[in-house]
Amino acid sequence: MVKHQPLQYYEPQLCLSCLTGIYGCRWKRYQRSHDDTTKWELLWFAILTFTFFLTLTWFYFWWEAHNDYNEFNWFLYNRSGHWDDWSIPILITTAAGFTYITALLVLALCHIAVGQQMNIHWLHKACLSIILVATVIAMTSIEQMWEEEWDMLLISFQATAPFLHIGALAAVTMLAWIIAGQFARSEKAMFQIFIIIAYLAVVIALYLVPLTISSPCIMEKKDLGPRPGIIGHQGAPMLAPENTLMSFQRALEHHPFGLEADVTISYDGVPFLMHDKTLRRTTNIEKVFPELSNEYSSMMNWTDLERLNAGEWYLKTDPFWTASSLSASDSTEAGNQSICKLTDLLQLAKENNSLVLLKIHPLPSDHPHYKSYINITVRTILESGISQHHVMWLSDQERYLVRQMAPGIQQVSGSKRDLKHLRAQGITVLHLRYTDIQIEEIREYTAGNITINAYTVNEPWLFSVLWCSGVQSVTSEASHILNKVPFPIWLMTPDEYYIVWIASDLISFTVIVGIFILQKWRLGNIRTYNPEQIMLSAAVRRGSRDVRIMKEKLIFSEINNIDTNIEELSLCSEGRYDGFANDAVTPTTNDKTHMS
């Protein structure tokens, strides 16, 4: 009777099985391998790493672009003619793709950490390729359609760079565990030199990155200027339909510096407030006058305009995702708004002693008031009784005539000019997009007694950066939010920032050195063989004589309690069994005859 026992008892390795299973669909032990990763798989790892940084950039960009989501939707509306909120779907898909790519990269790094061969599954390769192509297309499209928005990325770095630097430093420091492990395991001097030089280059570069960081919020607190005034862009469009009387009333409840509105002239000469050229987006004209839905709003009489509803669209499309937060009474009031006349806005501003920034839209050439719309608008302002100094005129059309009719009105320009030209035109305020103005220019204009008003600013972080930059006022669709920002979100003196920078670098360096020492101590002198690794490698490289000998040694070392003779043991050796059954086997008479 010969009793055989198992070669090896393998403990279940759930984490390792999940690691190799999710990444490469290698769920079983014998499918795993400690062999070197192939060059093809290394190429896919490089593609995965590149895609990670690309999707990280795109996700960061689109997250920070939250300030301009409404502008983006309106931009697409002008191109397509249909209002759709594309910002949230883009953000959701971007976040999902970035999360997926990050998970794949973490799995790949875990493979490296435990010494497993990387073999990404073909389904992951397909999804990775789709995400890479989609991200490149999305970034290219933004470059072509919305190029100026990339400047927002540079401004966001002024608000987040110190914190992004610390985050990147933490990530690279944690990566030292894997790098040190590869360094300690490797027996090739050239590979060790390459990996340590490459890693140190990245680490040193990160240590020196703060030398290139320039943020207006790194300044002495005594140099911080007064809090910028807030001008309600089209009133408070997050709380009520834009350019309606309710919208301006809601804005005034939060004590803004002023109100901004878009002015056009009706066919019969009545100034009213409307941002778009047509009425399709912000009124129910397609229901009341469907034949006029594509006409310019200025080509309609006021008697027809006042019949339109200017609030139902707000509740239906919810452009800022805030309509659901309105009370029942506010929701009813918003749904019953009508187009607002300029005289109504001026009367409201006069009663509340508020500034008014008016953007005058030019009229079509076939409009009956094409040559007199400036006169009509100025005359309406003068007849309202509002103080001329409380009116800011944002139009380059016939500016000289406006100064003659109402010399007290503040002249505002929407483009940067040299100080000599601005003074000659009587311009005292520059109304610029927040991406079009630099700190040096702000200081130059301020020194020349020119006030800077930046638009459109909705996010507290952006408001804080512009505050530190010295901007005097901002136009905002979120005056109720910015009104709650009494101080910049963060402000550090240069000395405080240097302490944070140097301390972060020292902590990182200390941790990295400790990790390398620990990994060298753990792995540097280990040159033993894992029995499971031997078996798996033998299945892949059957022709290896060394592996076959080691496998036979392993077999014989695991045989216990064998009651047989040397001939039977030799027979087992010649047969080179890869494993034994647990059942007892009794040789038959024929077997004995054959052996003899």
Side-chain angles (χ1 to χ4, degrees), residues 243-244 248 261-264 271-275 339-342 345 358:
N243 277 322
T244 62
F248 296 114
D262 304 274
V263 181
T264 190
F272 66 97
L273 310 182
M274 183 59 56
H275 179 269
I339 297 176
C340 184
K341 295 169 66 174
L342 176 59
L345 170 62
L358 300 179

PDB file of all heavy atoms in Angstrom, residues 243-244 248 261-264 271-275 339-342 345 358:
ATOM      1  N   ASN A 243     -33.359  89.342 -16.198  1.00  0.00           N
ATOM      2  CA  ASN A 243     -33.837  90.605 -16.770  1.00  0.00           C
ATOM      3  C   ASN A 243     -35.321  90.863 -16.527  1.00  0.00           C
ATOM      4  O   ASN A 243     -35.974  91.570 -17.302  1.00  0.00           O
ATOM      5  CB  ASN A 243     -33.557  90.649 -18.290  1.00  0.00           C
ATOM      6  CG  ASN A 243     -32.147  91.101 -18.597  1.00  0.00           C
ATOM      7  OD1 ASN A 243     -31.603  91.986 -17.926  1.00  0.00           O
ATOM      8  ND2 ASN A 243     -31.534  90.498 -19.601  1.00  0.00           N
ATOM      9  N   THR A 244     -35.854  90.296 -15.447  1.00  0.00           N
ATOM     10  CA  THR A 244     -37.236  90.594 -15.058  1.00  0.00           C
ATOM     11  C   THR A 244     -37.212  91.442 -13.793  1.00  0.00           C
ATOM     12  O   THR A 244     -36.194  91.515 -13.089  1.00  0.00           O
ATOM     13  CB  THR A 244     -38.040  89.312 -14.800  1.00  0.00           C
ATOM     14  OG1 THR A 244     -37.441  88.586 -13.708  1.00  0.00           O
ATOM     15  CG2 THR A 244     -38.077  88.427 -16.036  1.00  0.00           C
ATOM     16  N   PHE A 248     -34.398  91.605 -10.453  1.00  0.00           N
ATOM     17  CA  PHE A 248     -33.703  92.760  -9.882  1.00  0.00           C
ATOM     18  C   PHE A 248     -34.099  92.990  -8.419  1.00  0.00           C
ATOM     19  O   PHE A 248     -33.264  93.385  -7.594  1.00  0.00           O
ATOM     20  CB  PHE A 248     -34.002  94.003 -10.716  1.00  0.00           C
ATOM     21  CG  PHE A 248     -33.477  93.915 -12.119  1.00  0.00           C
ATOM     22  CD1 PHE A 248     -34.341  93.881 -13.208  1.00  0.00           C
ATOM     23  CD2 PHE A 248     -32.116  93.846 -12.353  1.00  0.00           C
ATOM     24  CE1 PHE A 248     -33.849  93.792 -14.498  1.00  0.00           C
ATOM     25  CE2 PHE A 248     -31.617  93.757 -13.646  1.00  0.00           C
ATOM     26  CZ  PHE A 248     -32.490  93.725 -14.727  1.00  0.00           C
ATOM     27  N   ALA A 261     -27.977  95.235 -16.843  1.00  0.00           N
ATOM     28  CA  ALA A 261     -29.093  94.836 -17.706  1.00  0.00           C
ATOM     29  C   ALA A 261     -28.737  95.071 -19.163  1.00  0.00           C
ATOM     30  O   ALA A 261     -27.894  95.912 -19.498  1.00  0.00           O
ATOM     31  CB  ALA A 261     -30.357  95.609 -17.327  1.00  0.00           C
ATOM     32  N   ASP A 262     -29.403  94.285 -20.054  1.00  0.00           N
ATOM     33  CA  ASP A 262     -29.238  94.420 -21.490  1.00  0.00           C
ATOM     34  C   ASP A 262     -30.440  95.173 -22.045  1.00  0.00           C
ATOM     35  O   ASP A 262     -31.592  94.784 -21.803  1.00  0.00           O
ATOM     36  CB  ASP A 262     -29.144  93.037 -22.142  1.00  0.00           C
ATOM     37  CG  ASP A 262     -28.036  92.202 -21.546  1.00  0.00           C
ATOM     38  OD1 ASP A 262     -26.891  92.325 -21.997  1.00  0.00           O
ATOM     39  OD2 ASP A 262     -28.319  91.421 -20.603  1.00  0.00           O
ATOM     40  N   VAL A 263     -30.181  96.234 -22.783  1.00  0.00           N
ATOM     41  CA  VAL A 263     -31.254  97.122 -23.253  1.00  0.00           C
ATOM     42  C   VAL A 263     -31.362  97.057 -24.771  1.00  0.00           C
ATOM     43  O   VAL A 263     -30.341  97.109 -25.477  1.00  0.00           O
ATOM     44  CB  VAL A 263     -30.995  98.579 -22.816  1.00  0.00           C
ATOM     45  CG1 VAL A 263     -32.133  99.495 -23.288  1.00  0.00           C
ATOM     46  CG2 VAL A 263     -30.834  98.659 -21.301  1.00  0.00           C
ATOM     47  N   THR A 264     -32.581  96.936 -25.257  1.00  0.00           N
ATOM     48  CA  THR A 264     -32.866  97.062 -26.684  1.00  0.00           C
ATOM     49  C   THR A 264     -34.127  97.900 -26.851  1.00  0.00           C
ATOM     50  O   THR A 264     -34.812  98.197 -25.866  1.00  0.00           O
ATOM     51  CB  THR A 264     -33.013  95.679 -27.349  1.00  0.00           C
ATOM     52  OG1 THR A 264     -33.060  95.828 -28.759  1.00  0.00           O
ATOM     53  CG2 THR A 264     -34.257  94.961 -26.853  1.00  0.00           C
ATOM     54  N   PRO A 271     -37.766 101.332 -24.860  1.00  0.00           N
ATOM     55  CA  PRO A 271     -36.610 100.568 -24.369  1.00  0.00           C
ATOM     56  C   PRO A 271     -37.057  99.471 -23.390  1.00  0.00           C
ATOM     57  O   PRO A 271     -37.823  99.730 -22.468  1.00  0.00           O
ATOM     58  CB  PRO A 271     -35.768 101.621 -23.653  1.00  0.00           C
ATOM     59  CG  PRO A 271     -36.251 102.942 -24.162  1.00  0.00           C
ATOM     60  CD  PRO A 271     -37.713 102.746 -24.438  1.00  0.00           C
ATOM     61  N   PHE A 272     -36.587  98.250 -23.610  1.00  0.00           N
ATOM     62  CA  PHE A 272     -36.920  97.136 -22.715  1.00  0.00           C
ATOM     63  C   PHE A 272     -35.673  96.264 -22.539  1.00  0.00           C
ATOM     64  O   PHE A 272     -34.659  96.453 -23.224  1.00  0.00           O
ATOM     65  CB  PHE A 272     -38.099  96.321 -23.248  1.00  0.00           C
ATOM     66  CG  PHE A 272     -37.824  95.586 -24.532  1.00  0.00           C
ATOM     67  CD1 PHE A 272     -37.467  94.247 -24.535  1.00  0.00           C
ATOM     68  CD2 PHE A 272     -37.923  96.236 -25.774  1.00  0.00           C
ATOM     69  CE1 PHE A 272     -37.216  93.565 -25.712  1.00  0.00           C
ATOM     70  CE2 PHE A 272     -37.669  95.564 -26.956  1.00  0.00           C
ATOM     71  CZ  PHE A 272     -37.311  94.221 -26.928  1.00  0.00           C
ATOM     72  N   LEU A 273     -35.773  95.310 -21.635  1.00  0.00           N
ATOM     73  CA  LEU A 273     -34.614  94.506 -21.252  1.00  0.00           C
ATOM     74  C   LEU A 273     -34.700  93.116 -21.872  1.00  0.00           C
ATOM     75  O   LEU A 273     -35.666  92.381 -21.641  1.00  0.00           O
ATOM     76  CB  LEU A 273     -34.528  94.395 -19.725  1.00  0.00           C
ATOM     77  CG  LEU A 273     -34.636  95.717 -18.954  1.00  0.00           C
ATOM     78  CD1 LEU A 273     -34.481  95.464 -17.462  1.00  0.00           C
ATOM     79  CD2 LEU A 273     -33.606  96.735 -19.438  1.00  0.00           C
ATOM     80  N   MET A 274     -33.685  92.766 -22.640  1.00  0.00           N
ATOM     81  CA  MET A 274     -33.639  91.441 -23.263  1.00  0.00           C
ATOM     82  C   MET A 274     -32.194  91.145 -23.648  1.00  0.00           C
ATOM     83  O   MET A 274     -31.533  91.961 -24.303  1.00  0.00           O
ATOM     84  CB  MET A 274     -34.549  91.388 -24.497  1.00  0.00           C
ATOM     85  CG  MET A 274     -34.611  90.028 -25.166  1.00  0.00           C
ATOM     86  SD  MET A 274     -35.218  88.693 -24.068  1.00  0.00           S
ATOM     87  CE  MET A 274     -36.806  89.365 -23.560  1.00  0.00           C
ATOM     88  N   HIS A 275     -31.709  89.966 -23.271  1.00  0.00           N
ATOM     89  CA  HIS A 275     -30.322  89.595 -23.548  1.00  0.00           C
ATOM     90  C   HIS A 275     -30.148  89.043 -24.949  1.00  0.00           C
ATOM     91  O   HIS A 275     -29.222  89.442 -25.674  1.00  0.00           O
ATOM     92  CB  HIS A 275     -29.856  88.555 -22.513  1.00  0.00           C
ATOM     93  CG  HIS A 275     -28.452  88.092 -22.722  1.00  0.00           C
ATOM     94  ND1 HIS A 275     -28.128  86.996 -23.492  1.00  0.00           N
ATOM     95  CD2 HIS A 275     -27.268  88.594 -22.265  1.00  0.00           C
ATOM     96  CE1 HIS A 275     -26.820  86.837 -23.496  1.00  0.00           C
ATOM     97  NE2 HIS A 275     -26.270  87.780 -22.761  1.00  0.00           N
ATOM     98  N   ILE A 339     -41.889  90.745 -19.634  1.00  0.00           N
ATOM     99  CA  ILE A 339     -40.710  91.496 -20.072  1.00  0.00           C
ATOM    100  C   ILE A 339     -40.669  92.837 -19.354  1.00  0.00           C
ATOM    101  O   ILE A 339     -41.683  93.521 -19.219  1.00  0.00           O
ATOM    102  CB  ILE A 339     -40.732  91.685 -21.592  1.00  0.00           C
ATOM    103  CG1 ILE A 339     -40.652  90.314 -22.287  1.00  0.00           C
ATOM    104  CG2 ILE A 339     -39.584  92.568 -22.047  1.00  0.00           C
ATOM    105  CD1 ILE A 339     -40.756  90.385 -23.796  1.00  0.00           C
ATOM    106  N   CYS A 340     -39.494  93.210 -18.904  1.00  0.00           N
ATOM    107  CA  CYS A 340     -39.331  94.412 -18.086  1.00  0.00           C
ATOM    108  C   CYS A 340     -38.926  95.601 -18.947  1.00  0.00           C
ATOM    109  O   CYS A 340     -38.035  95.503 -19.804  1.00  0.00           O
ATOM    110  CB  CYS A 340     -38.273  94.161 -17.018  1.00  0.00           C
ATOM    111  SG  CYS A 340     -38.021  95.518 -15.857  1.00  0.00           S
ATOM    112  N   LYS A 341     -39.574  96.730 -18.719  1.00  0.00           N
ATOM    113  CA  LYS A 341     -39.208  97.978 -19.392  1.00  0.00           C
ATOM    114  C   LYS A 341     -38.007  98.615 -18.685  1.00  0.00           C
ATOM    115  O   LYS A 341     -37.811  98.419 -17.484  1.00  0.00           O
ATOM    116  CB  LYS A 341     -40.394  98.943 -19.395  1.00  0.00           C
ATOM    117  CG  LYS A 341     -41.584  98.449 -20.200  1.00  0.00           C
ATOM    118  CD  LYS A 341     -42.818  99.302 -19.954  1.00  0.00           C
ATOM    119  CE  LYS A 341     -42.624 100.711 -20.472  1.00  0.00           C
ATOM    120  NZ  LYS A 341     -43.864 101.517 -20.359  1.00  0.00           N
ATOM    121  N   LEU A 342     -37.253  99.392 -19.425  1.00  0.00           N
ATOM    122  CA  LEU A 342     -36.109 100.082 -18.842  1.00  0.00           C
ATOM    123  C   LEU A 342     -36.554 101.059 -17.762  1.00  0.00           C
ATOM    124  O   LEU A 342     -35.878 101.201 -16.730  1.00  0.00           O
ATOM    125  CB  LEU A 342     -35.328 100.819 -19.932  1.00  0.00           C
ATOM    126  CG  LEU A 342     -34.154 101.677 -19.464  1.00  0.00           C
ATOM    127  CD1 LEU A 342     -33.126 100.848 -18.709  1.00  0.00           C
ATOM    128  CD2 LEU A 342     -33.507 102.406 -20.637  1.00  0.00           C
ATOM    129  N   LEU A 345     -36.860  99.366 -14.367  1.00  0.00           N
ATOM    130  CA  LEU A 345     -35.570  99.110 -13.724  1.00  0.00           C
ATOM    131  C   LEU A 345     -34.987 100.392 -13.140  1.00  0.00           C
ATOM    132  O   LEU A 345     -34.491 100.400 -12.005  1.00  0.00           O
ATOM    133  CB  LEU A 345     -34.592  98.503 -14.730  1.00  0.00           C
ATOM    134  CG  LEU A 345     -33.134  98.392 -14.271  1.00  0.00           C
ATOM    135  CD1 LEU A 345     -33.013  97.490 -13.055  1.00  0.00           C
ATOM    136  CD2 LEU A 345     -32.234  97.909 -15.401  1.00  0.00           C
ATOM    137  N   LEU A 358     -25.709  99.547 -17.908  1.00  0.00           N
ATOM    138  CA  LEU A 358     -26.556  99.294 -19.064  1.00  0.00           C
ATOM    139  C   LEU A 358     -25.716  98.932 -20.277  1.00  0.00           C
ATOM    140  O   LEU A 358     -24.820  99.682 -20.675  1.00  0.00           O
ATOM    141  CB  LEU A 358     -27.412 100.531 -19.379  1.00  0.00           C
ATOM    142  CG  LEU A 358     -28.359 100.996 -18.266  1.00  0.00           C
ATOM    143  CD1 LEU A 358     -29.119 102.237 -18.708  1.00  0.00           C
ATOM    144  CD2 LEU A 358     -29.310  99.887 -17.857  1.00  0.00           C
TER     145      LEU A 358
END
